[in-house]
Amino acid sequence: MVAATWPGVDPAWSREIDVPSTSGLDVSGPDRAGTRRRWHILDNAAQLAERGLTPAGTLLCVHGNPTWSYLWRTLLAAGTDPAHPWRVVAVDQLDMGFSERTGTFRRLQDRIDDLGNLTDALGLTGPVVTVGHDWGGVISLGWALAHQDRLAGVVLTNTAVHQPAGVPIPAALRLALHPAVHRWGTTTSDAFLRVTHALAHPALDPAVRAAFMAPYRNARRRAGVGNFVADIPADASHPSYPALTAVAEGVRGLSVPALMLWGPRDPIFSDRYLKDLVGRLPHAQVHRFEGAGHLVAEDRNIADPIFTWLAEQVSDAPTAEPAALAAAEAAGTGPLWAPLTVLASGPDADQTAVAEMAPHGGASRSLSWRELHRRVTDLARGLSGAGVTAGTRVSLMVPPGVDLTVVLYACLRVGAVVVVADAGLGLRGLSRAVRGATPDVLIGIDKALATAAALGWEARRFSVRDLPAARRRILGVETSLERLGDPGAGDGAADDAGLPPVPAADSPAAVLFTSGSTGPAKGVRYTHRQLAAMRDTLAATLDLRPGTRLVAGFAPFALLGPALGAVSVTPDMDVTRPRTLTARALAAAAAAIGATVVFASPAALRNVLATRDTLTPEGRQALDAVELLLSAGAPVPRSLLEDLQDLVPAAELHTPYGMTEALPVTDINLAQIREAAADAAAGTVPGAGNGICVGRAVHGAELAVAPLVADGTAPGNRPVTDAGVTGEILVRAAHVKDSYDRLWLTQRESARTAGWHRTGDVGHLDAAGRLWVEGRMAHVVTAPGGVVTPVGAEQAIEALSGVGLAAVVGVGPAGTQAVAAVVETVPAVRKAEPAEPGLAGRVRAAARQAGVEVSAVLAVPAQPTDIRHNAKIDRTRLARWAGSVLAGGRPGTP
């Protein structure tokens, strides 16, 4: 044992201790009473004492199989920081690491007892926070349940305490347990260790891998590895099953603070086990590190979040996460579905509420307000009877239209939490979102159910339509919305008879996923109160009221339509590809309901303009009747709005600004955009210019910024409203999200300015109270001459003839980045390459007029954009590509 050769370990931490054993294995015979076992531990207590630091408590860290105390070295180092001193005791379990090889087969309960013997010998009196991984997670929880008088909290990383009946244990463990493999794979050879170490993302440094292998150099020293695997309770007949069940059920009673840090890229402890743990410890803070796997402590920095959590949740003077915005008053007009009830019994009860378009024009299906309310109520009863109740997570994979509207409102009525991750995320992004949200039920069309079956998404499955028996078996479908929504022998009364109580305003209602345009899509949690506030904010800001007739070319607006009392129709298009909306399809949808309002993304509207020559006289007449056109989801150039005005001459053109976490934040119309541009050109309004003017705060919202500093961050927490101060945009309003789903660190960062949501966008306010968006915080360029925000220069470049979309990115190390402009040319260049000199000169000159010096100009046939909006440029990807090209690499495709 040579501690000095273990990277990241201070040799002073390493020590051995002889511990009296009370395990039945060690005291079962008269000649064995008083047996002592030698443990190896890593312990920073002496180092704390040397530095005169008094620890706030002890972290008791328990490894799994086949690791050892080395796994927790970053916690030991962090615990000696004077800012947050904690004693950290990382144990090597008996027969593991550098602890004694006992020659006995120690089962789960023996190991829980062993750990208790050690803590008694160490004199740990509390407060103690347990930290566990893998099988060590179960053992640490067993210790926690037996020592609640000392327990202050629990931290878990990729582990499991329960194996569902009828569900096989993970394939990797089944293989390791197979009689033909077990002894050779776990003990005779080091295969089990090597396979486990290979689960690190990124791969372990060779020196770190060698340190993990160090205690297990021969078969004798690996006997504990094999025994650990053999002690996994594959079913109820296993000797350790009762002990595991006792821990699993006992955990439900733990009320101490809990933190779960998870690597979802884990073939052993998948999100299924995280979901189970969250159900047993519902108060736990949870953070999933996307891309991390089984060895999450190696894949990510877990020390900082653990010590942050300790300071906020466990220390004597906790700093609570900011409370919900005090100004977030209860929505006064009832839950999201309230207008359906009112309209279903009013004078317009038999008028169309929601419609679907046929491929060649005309509405193919529709429901009146009375029929919609009846269908929602009947389906709510059916869902409730099928076990979909308060808190049940239901993933909806149904295209916008009648079916999605009915099932959405039915789920909300029974208190289920709807999970909306649309196909616009792409298959990979969609799969990541569904697995992360761990829905209990998946409701989908045939294609979605086939995808779920093929990709192994774990959830009960309901189809929209009744399926043949063979198809149901193949897809694992239990029932259908048709069956659940059938009033059957009842009178079909559209009232609350047989329904559960109306959900409380602050109970969870939805998990909505972001577009994934700036990283993996994030789940955003909303309560019923916040959804109702969103509806009311839109209604008050845009004067949307019952009787509005809405063509929704963007799925979220289609779902909000009935809540606003608006007649809603989705045009014939692929909602996952906005550019498939044609002028003819838009006009047909408008004609079908006599539309007064249109909502579509900028990409969709560009294609509408590109196909306007296909409009019939009737189509033009239908668009002439539109009174309000809304476009959002990505920046909307003034030139696009100017062109659209000719298409909808009677409409007021608005472009609200918002995000999944706060929809909407501001609003502006074309006349106000012209006014802002004039103010910027004249220089008469301080702060006007540099970016896209997105208008003033919507009804009930407030805006501020957290100022940027030289390194491109916004570390301060003081909201600033001074004109011309560039910083991260902050918003507070009753309709801002509740939190991010299972992303505790992300949520904490977004809410660190008390009472405000930090949007991740960068911009400034002008003296007239208008907000100017300058880009994303992640895309700020830190050049030698100072911080560069991209949007102002991009706008100037996009104004040039022959240029479509432009992106300004930073290349090179932070603080010394070169500014590169990547332009999409019109017509498109044949391949991505450095721009020809004439274009490059014009781009540099335009950027210089906006105050930005561009070092390099590259031309591409098309910018890489997000799938949902077809408009948000992936600047992070472009920056990597531009860096490679400018370093001499082959251009390829960005």
Side-chain angles (χ1 to χ4, degrees), residues 477-512:
V477 170
E478 291 184 28
T479 186
S480 68
L481 298 187
E482 283 187 349
R483 288 177 180 270
L484 293 173
D486 185 352
D491 61 7
D495 55 31
D496 284 352
L499 288 176
V502 172
D506 290 317
S507 60
V511 176
L512 312 178

Side-chain angles (χ1 to χ4, degrees), residues 439-820:
D440 303 289
V441 176
L442 190 152
I443 299 177
I445 58 174
D446 229 33
K447 182 179 178 180
L449 295 171
T451 300
L455 297 180
W457 294 343
E458 295 181 358
R460 299 171 64 194
R461 297 173 194 159
F462 300 171
S463 60
V464 175
R465 302 273 173 265
D466 262 346
L467 300 176
R471 185 69 174 161
R472 284 202 308 272
R473 285 194 300 272
I474 292 170
L475 298 180
V477 170
E478 291 184 28
T479 186
S480 68
L481 298 187
E482 283 187 349
R483 288 177 180 270
L484 293 173
D486 185 352
D491 61 7
D495 55 31
D496 284 352
L499 288 176
V502 172
D506 290 317
S507 60
V511 176
L512 312 178
F513 276 85
T514 61
S515 66
S517 59
T518 55
K522 298 182 289 291
V524 180
R525 293 193 296 220
Y526 277 90
T527 65
H528 285 274
R529 185 192 307 280
Q530 290 155 346
L531 287 182
M534 182 190 299
R535 172 202 62 203
D536 297 342
T537 296
L538 284 166
T541 300
L542 299 170
D543 194 26
L544 300 176
R545 51 195 183 278
T548 296
R549 295 175 175 272
L550 169 69
V551 177
F554 187 45
F557 239 77
L559 298 177
L560 279 171
L564 292 161
V567 179
S568 303
V569 63
T570 300
D572 177 32
M573 65 180 294
D574 181 348
V575 293
T576 71
R577 298 168 60 217
R579 289 174 179 164
T580 59
L581 179 62
T582 65
R584 195 158 192 155
L586 178 64
I593 61 170
T596 57
V597 178
V598 169
F599 188 104
S601 73
L605 293 174
R606 283 192 181 92
N607 198 56
V608 166
L609 288 172
T611 57
R612 59 186 160 185
D613 290 345
T614 64
L615 284 172
T616 64
E618 293 78 14
R620 291 184 180 276
Q621 186 176 3
L623 294 179
D624 286 345
V626 173
E627 300 170 3
L628 174 65
L629 184 144
L630 305 165
S631 186
V636 185
R638 174 180 166 183
S639 58
L640 177 61
L641 294 175
E642 301 276 12
D643 290 343
L644 286 167
Q645 190 70 82
D646 295 335
L647 193 67
V648 283
E652 188 171 292
L653 307 187
H654 282 247
T655 171
Y657 157 74
M659 56 217 63
T660 308
E661 299 89 337
L663 180 69
V665 173
T666 67
D667 180 53
I668 193 169
N669 62 35
L670 179 56
Q672 292 165 341
I673 290 172
R674 292 168 176 155
E675 179 185 10
D679 288 344
T684 55
V685 178
N690 187 30
I692 296 174
C693 185
V694 294
R696 296 177 175 85
V698 296
H699 178 79
E702 295 179 68
L703 298 171
V705 301
L708 286 184
V709 297
D711 66 356
T713 65
N717 285 323
R718 183 175 67 87
V720 172
T721 57
D722 298 344
V725 177
T726 294
E728 184 174 5
I729 297 168
L730 313 179
V731 59
R732 62 180 177 186
H735 63 281
V736 171
K737 64 157 172 57
D738 182 60
S739 62
Y740 289 108
D741 187 46
R742 298 174 186 175
L743 292 169
W744 170 68
L745 288 170
T746 307
Q747 169 58 24
R748 185 179 178 280
E749 173 62 21
S750 77
R752 64 184 172 87
T753 302
W756 296 82
H757 168 65
R758 298 180 72 116
T759 64
D761 285 342
V762 62
H764 67 275
L765 295 163
D766 67 18
R770 296 171 299 208
L771 179 66
W772 296 74
V773 176
E774 301 177 47
R776 291 285 295 170
M777 288 290 293
H779 303 147
V780 168
V781 180
T782 54
V787 172
V788 174
T789 55
V791 170
E794 290 170 351
Q795 283 186 301
I797 295 168
E798 288 174 351
L800 297 172
S801 62
V803 174
L805 295 176
V808 168
V809 298
V811 176
T816 61
Q817 289 182 317
V819 179

Side-chain angles (χ1 to χ4, degrees), residues 153 188 785:
T188 305

